[in-house]
């Protein structure tokens, strides 16, 4: 959520795309049964693919000194910019902005109240001028005040109609095909796969099972406070306008410890916000694997790293080189980016 | 943790039993492969066993209108007094008291400082007189100030040497054989089993995998705050003297929502502290099952309910009767209590 509250709007030139005509939910489920002989067919041959497969073969080989018992095969994946795209802004921010517009008829005062007014006038420069405080207010207004059940439905409904400004596709189609294969490959080798993201946990859970095959209870994320209400025998959990936990940077090892209770052996991220998770994993007594995704493909996706306001990868890139962590060069290592680019 | 901080000491007549002679860790792992033809052999035939088995057979039957998809088969179990005993005091309190005594040489001032002095003098009436505030101070002194890794080792070491005052057995042998069979039976039917306990999450995780076959990431409990420390390249997560979350009463549905993200269909508890979890489960759109364990067996375990200061079951007992939830009568329904009572 913290990354979500940084000045991510500086790349922000888009129109909100809500298209009521497409109500079909996209389901992209890859199960281990579907793994072909090459478990990573969308990965080009090269050092990255070899490093991943060598590691998995080594630590799952009972005769290897690096063998890891199944219970300890914990793999954690960042989400934004790592399992799906995050440009030109975090997709959760598109959701929040669409939600402000959707709620606006019930809040006529927003027309003259900032930061809402700037959103309603598509004046994102002004929105940016309110900084973190303004964005926090928008998150609270759009993500709280309802039950967890109602919020889940709102997220699902949004995914059915909203379209990404560049690709004109539902956001949950902008997931990375090579990463789906990697998740499958790890699970086929009895790794338990988790999402550990700065994004909102209840923004992710409604769709990650279909998208990644990761069950809801294996999703760690930022959260707002909730409370139980017996509600005269129809109990609900209410979402409160208060931040509970920020699962970013040093929050990631804390979230991993809280939710998983075990140090990962495999960690995958794409930004400096993932650095502490990779460091934590790197300190495992078992042989561990640290994977950074470097966005190098402006043609097929985006190219950004040290100077980006979204998914900044600077210190992490240095530390990866220093420590010999594996860095995916998206342009070189990936045959395709998204599932809809698969040849039929 | 809140239950842990109530006046649980009123039944407290014991001597701390640390026996260095027994260093063998007890492992009681039941896997679904071991399930015999009767999946619940330690349960007497009767309404309780029949109700459980009828439910499981119904909701796993694809042709039943009550069929539940596997992903939604979430079963949550309280721990204290539900999977293991909780008398004459919560076992975590025995741990805390033993730890005060262990740490005392490093804190000579404790000899004259309350509430520590009362523990060191085995004067539990005085300890009780400090109420929640005193017990909270003891928890903070004994459960924080070290890394998560060091704390895990301390819990494991304690389980190897500490003995229960009545049974003179390691605490993790005082788990309920019939509940082990129930956990196995549910897992064999593709339920995912979770602990949802007021006890400390990091007090439970070191031993519940061996005891119950429940992995660490499927344990929800009370927690203290933690922080990540890079520690010059040897990162640790430090336990801070601050309560983070109380997973009891209305905290249980909140914890379930936060950690699991899905409403259970099966919930099992033994006290009023579990009532909200059972209510929450009862509101599932799927056919659900609510199970209360009623401690009715003073000879083989303990008998207590409405007037007990530990594991009080009063409102829950009324609501169970009113709503037709299943209530285990320990004395009538269970052939044996603990695994060490199994006939060889």
């Amino acid at each position: 959520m913290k990354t979500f509250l940084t000045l991510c709007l500086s790349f922000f030139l888009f129109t909100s795309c809500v298209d009521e005509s497409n109500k079909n939910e996209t389901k992209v489920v890859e199960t281990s049964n579907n793994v072909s002989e090459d478990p990573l067919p969308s990965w080009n041959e090269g050092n990255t693919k070899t490093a991943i497969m060598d590691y998995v073969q080594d630590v799952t080989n009972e005769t290897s000194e690096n063998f890891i018992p199944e219970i300890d095969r914990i793999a954690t994946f960042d989400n934004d910019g790592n399992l799906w795209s995050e440009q030109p802004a975090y997709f959760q921010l598109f959701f929040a902005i669409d939600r402000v517009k959707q709620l606006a008829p019930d809040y006529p005062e927003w027309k003259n109240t900032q930061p809402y007014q700037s959103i309603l006038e598509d004046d994102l420069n002004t929105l940016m001028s309110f900084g973190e405080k303004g964005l926090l207010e928008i998150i609270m207004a759009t993500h709280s005040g309802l039950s967890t059940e109602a919020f889940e439905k709102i997220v699902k409904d949004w995914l059915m109609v909203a379209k990404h400004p560049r690709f004109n596709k539902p956001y949950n189609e902008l997931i990375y095909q090579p990463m789906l294969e990697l998740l499958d490959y790890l699970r086929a080798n009895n790794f338990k796969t988790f999402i550990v993201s700065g994004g909102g946990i209840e923004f992710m859970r409604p769709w990650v099972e279909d998208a990644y095959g990761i069950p809801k209870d294996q999703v760690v994320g930022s959260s707002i406070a909730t409370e139980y209400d017996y509600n005269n025998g129809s109990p609900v959990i209410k979402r409160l306008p208060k931040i509970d936990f920020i699962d970013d940077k040093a929050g990631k090892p804390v979230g991993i410890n809280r939710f998983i209770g075990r140090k990962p052996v495999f960690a995958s991220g794409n930004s400096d916000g993932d650095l502490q998770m990779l460091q934590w994993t790197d300190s495992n007594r078992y042989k561990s694997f640290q994977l950074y995704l470097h966005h190098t493909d402006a043609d097929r996706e985006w190219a950004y790293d040290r100077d980006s306001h979204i998914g900044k990868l600077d210190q992490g890139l240095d530390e990866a080189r220093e420590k010999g962590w594996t860095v995916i060069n998206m342009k070189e290592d990936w045959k395709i980016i998204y599932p809809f680019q698969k040849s039929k």
Side-chain angles (χ1 to χ4, degrees), chain A:
Chain A
M1 194 73 82
K2 198 164 197 174
T3 51
F4 189 63
L5 298 174
T6 55
L7 295 179
C8 55
L9 285 169
S10 54
F11 283 73
F12 224 162
L13 288 168
F14 70 97
T15 50
S16 174
C17 303
V18 176
D19 178 354
E20 291 285 340
S21 68
N22 181 354
K23 294 232 174 195
N24 295 316
E25 198 174 356
T26 303
K27 297 204 181 193
V28 184
V29 188
E30 302 279 319
T31 72
S32 51
N33 297 330
N34 294 335
V35 174
S36 59
E37 285 200 20
D38 177 358
L40 302 175
S42 299
W43 295 68
N44 286 313
E45 300 305 319
N47 291 342
T48 304
K49 182 172 178 174
T50 302
I52 292 170
M53 295 186 66
D54 283 354
Y55 172 77
V56 171
Q57 282 160 19
D58 185 15
V59 301
T60 58
N61 173 1
E62 284 194 45
T63 66
S64 166
E65 62 178 355
N66 298 317
F67 178 74
I68 301 174
E70 287 186 13
I71 191 89
D72 287 308
R73 294 184 200 162
I74 301 292
T76 55
F77 286 79
D78 175 48
N79 184 42
D80 293 313
N82 194 55
L83 293 179
W84 73 350
S85 292
E86 61 183 348
Q87 298 282 8
Y90 295 115
F91 295 175
Q92 191 173 354
L93 185 56
F94 288 96
F95 167 76
I97 287 172
D98 284 348
R99 182 125 179 86
V100 164
K101 291 179 177 177
Q102 191 181 39
L103 289 171
D106 294 335
Y107 298 87
E109 68 275 20
W110 283 358
K111 278 184 189 161
N112 312 301
T113 313
Q114 292 294 10
Y116 308 98
Q117 185 181 345
S118 64
I119 291 177
L120 297 176
E121 293 173 356
D122 287 325
D123 176 4
L124 299 168
N125 286 328
T126 301
L127 175 58
M128 276 172 60
S129 72
F130 298 107
E132 284 204 10
K133 191 163 169 286
L135 290 170
L136 194 60
E137 185 170 340
I138 289 163
I139 294 289
M140 291 308 162
T142 56
H143 286 61
S144 70
L146 19 77
S147 72
T148 51
E149 208 165 342
F151 186 73
E152 175 167 356
K153 184 174 182 321
I154 287 165
V155 173
K156 282 183 167 172
D157 288 349
W158 178 77
L159 283 172
M160 284 196 284
V161 296
K163 296 272 184 79
H164 186 275
R166 173 173 165 189
F167 290 99
N168 197 34
K169 295 269 185 191
Y171 289 94
N172 52 348
E173 291 191 26
L174 299 180
I175 57 182
Y176 301 135
Q177 176 62 28
M179 295 305 259
L180 297 180
E181 294 165 8
L182 176 56
L183 288 168
D184 263 349
Y185 176 55
L186 289 171
R187 288 191 289 255
N189 284 281
N190 298 312
F191 286 76
K192 201 163 180 176
T193 54
F194 291 83
I195 291 174
V196 178
S197 169
I201 193 167
E202 299 205 90
F203 176 73
M204 294 185 283
R205 280 179 168 157
W207 57 272
V208 296
E209 283 180 345
D210 282 346
Y212 309 130
I214 294 178
K216 288 178 176 180
D217 62 284
Q218 290 167 219
V219 179
V220 183
S222 297
S223 55
I224 63 175
T226 58
E227 73 177 8
Y228 174 76
D229 180 357
Y230 182 59
N231 192 28
N232 290 319
S234 302
V236 291
I237 292 176
K238 291 195 292 194
R239 295 171 58 79
L240 308 177
K242 184 176 164 235
I243 290 285
D244 171 61
F245 178 60
I246 303 291
D247 188 53
D248 195 39
K249 298 191 170 70
K252 290 205 173 191
V254 168
I256 287 168
N257 182 65
R258 180 179 303 170
F259 281 74
I260 307 175
R262 178 169 250 128
K263 199 181 282 187
V265 292
F266 188 107
S268 158
N270 74 300
S271 79
D272 284 355
D274 301 308
L275 181 56
Q276 287 82 356
M277 174 168 77
L278 270 62
Q279 290 168 343
W280 182 236
T281 304
D282 196 26
S283 72
N284 202 309
R285 65 194 172 91
Y286 291 114
K287 183 179 177 180
S288 60
F289 196 89
Q290 289 66 236
L291 184 62
Y292 256 132
L293 170 57
H294 190 186
H295 291 263
T296 53
D297 196 331
D299 290 338
R300 297 187 300 173
E301 207 244 6
W302 283 270
Y304 56 99
D305 48 39
R306 296 183 191 274
D307 298 321
S308 176
H309 292 285
I310 306 174
K312 179 177 175 172
L313 179 61
D314 181 30
Q315 199 188 335
L317 211 47
D318 293 337
E319 199 152 327
R321 282 168 187 169
E322 186 188 310
K323 295 187 170 170
W325 295 345
T326 300
V327 178
I328 301 167
N329 180 332
M330 182 184 271
K331 190 172 180 173
E332 303 291 325
D333 288 326
W334 285 2
K335 286 184 191 163
I336 59 170
I337 311 292
Y338 302 120
F340 58 79
Q341 296 163 336
K342 276 193 288 193
S343 51
K344 310 282 173 182

